[in-house]
Amino acid sequence: MEGATISGDLTMDNYRFPTQRLKSTMKDSSRTPLVFIACGSFSPITFLHLRMFEMAADYARFNTNFEVVGAYLSAVGDAYKKSGLVKAEHRINMCSLAVDQSSWISVDPWEALHDEYLETAKVLDHFEHEINQVRGGIDTPNGKKKARIALLAGADLIQTMSAPGVWAPKDIDYILSNFGAFIIERAGTDIDEALSTLQQWKDNIHVVQQLVQNDISSTKIRLFRKRDMSIRYLVPEPVVKYIEENGLYDEDGAGSTHENSKKPGESIAAPVVGSGSGTN
């Protein structure tokens, strides 16, 4: 589950929460354990999605009292109904291949295994339950400590949260009050304007600068595939091979689930870099 591909026989009945890459013990008991959760389509996952984790981890280490103990990719299910979304099985497999060499980023298929659409708040509750209730938190030299579960996303997340009618107000309050967010800046997004309507949660919103600008998006990867152009060095090589072997995102739309857009008024699954679903 942590980094290997899966087959279509994985169901909620045989699901197990992945913990192999989650630190069981903190190094510094004076800090608060932190777990990043990136929700989105990941159709497909790109190098920018992976870089987001590293940028956020550096920010947390140098600018906060958190100690990063783990991170998870959580892909939306097939009920999301978004253009360009291939089947959940493919997206979980691509994410798993992408983090195969990572020592701290895991893939959790729980959200993708559901037939119904799950709001971001419910997904974050799932991680809170598995890590802080089932496991009791993270061990420290002074006993267990509850981990902070935090949403990791791109700057367009904050833009959508400040736009009327996109998120349910109760979901915004629940997510930013109970979990908080680490937001990666992106060129073309006015962070200050977006944050202006979210001031009551400003202490729980951490804005992370991109010191090396990266504009890769899943939307662009899909466009390149349809135009029969190379996507190498934009996504991890094992993902390139998987896409080619399974004929994903080519002109005939192999592996797609839906072509409809998200319904207005639904909470989105944490946009991450240039897409309405979280991760294009």
Side-chain angles (χ1 to χ4, degrees):
M1 194 76 64
E2 307 285 328
T5 55
I6 64 170
S7 60
D9 58 359
L10 180 66
T11 65
M12 287 303 300
D13 292 334
N14 54 23
Y15 164 80
R16 295 292 180 272
F17 182 68
T19 60
Q20 291 92 327
R21 295 179 184 173
L22 183 67
K23 284 185 184 178
S24 58
T25 305
M26 289 183 64
K27 295 178 180 177
D28 186 348
S29 60
S30 69
R31 289 179 170 257
T32 299
L34 174 66
V35 180
F36 293 124
I37 311 298
C39 302
S41 301
F42 304 112
S43 190
I45 189 168
T46 72
F47 275 126
L48 180 51
H49 295 137
L50 301 178
R51 275 295 302 163
M52 288 174 60
F53 288 101
E54 300 294 335
M55 287 186 279
D58 280 344
Y59 176 93
R61 183 160 58 98
F62 292 117
N63 299 283
T64 74
N65 196 43
F66 291 119
E67 180 180 322
V68 178
V69 295
Y72 289 88
L73 289 157
S74 181
V76 297
D78 291 338
Y80 190 68
K81 298 181 181 178
K82 177 179 185 284
S83 178
L85 194 71
V86 298
K87 293 178 181 178
E89 177 184 339
H90 289 310
R91 292 181 287 110
I92 291 297
N93 286 341
M94 288 188 285
C95 286
S96 297
L97 288 167
V99 301
D100 187 48
Q101 301 302 312
S102 175
S103 63
W104 67 289
I105 306 172
S106 301
V107 178
D108 183 11
W110 182 84
E111 180 183 1
L113 289 174
H114 283 75
D115 293 330
E116 72 278 15
Y117 170 76
L118 296 180
E119 292 85 358
T120 305
K122 291 181 180 177
V123 176
L124 295 174
D125 276 341
H126 157 70
F127 286 99
E128 171 73 22
H129 172 77
E130 292 289 351
I131 295 171
N132 286 329
Q133 296 181 36
V134 175
R135 293 176 59 85
I138 306 297
D139 286 323
T140 78
N142 299 322
K144 291 267 192 182
K145 248 189 179 181
K146 297 291 186 183
R148 167 65 68 87
I149 309 300
L151 188 62
L152 173 64
D156 47 358
L157 170 73
I158 292 299
Q159 277 193 324
T160 60
M161 280 187 167
S162 61
V166 180
W167 288 75
K170 64 180 179 61
D171 283 353
I172 295 176
D173 179 63
Y174 186 80
I175 291 170
L176 295 181
S177 295
N178 294 289
F179 302 104
F182 283 73
I183 304 299
I184 308 298
E185 278 191 334
R186 186 173 187 239
T189 301
D190 190 336
I191 285 283
D192 292 336
E193 180 182 354
L195 288 174
S196 64
T197 61
L198 303 171
Q199 285 301 298
Q200 68 185 94
W201 302 285
K202 63 181 180 180
D203 292 339
N204 281 345
I205 301 173
H206 302 271
V207 178
V208 182
Q209 289 185 322
Q210 274 204 75
L211 299 181
V212 177
Q213 291 298 316
N214 186 330
D215 197 34
I216 300 172
S217 73
S218 299
T219 302
K220 292 175 181 176
I221 300 301
R222 295 194 300 268
L223 180 61
F224 278 23
R225 281 286 294 165
K226 286 183 179 180
R227 293 179 176 176
D228 197 26
M229 296 171 66
S230 171
I231 59 172
R232 277 188 165 78
Y233 313 116
L234 298 175
V235 302
E237 184 63 20
V239 177
V240 174
K241 292 180 179 178
Y242 186 92
I243 289 171
E244 292 176 345
E245 290 169 0
N246 289 276
L248 304 181
Y249 312 114
D250 54 16
E251 196 59 44
D252 63 9
S256 337
T257 55
H258 307 279
E259 290 301 324
N260 299 322
S261 300
K262 184 179 75 66
K263 297 177 183 177
E266 286 183 346
S267 262
I268 58 176
V272 177
V273 201
S275 131
S277 84
T279 54
N280 346 101

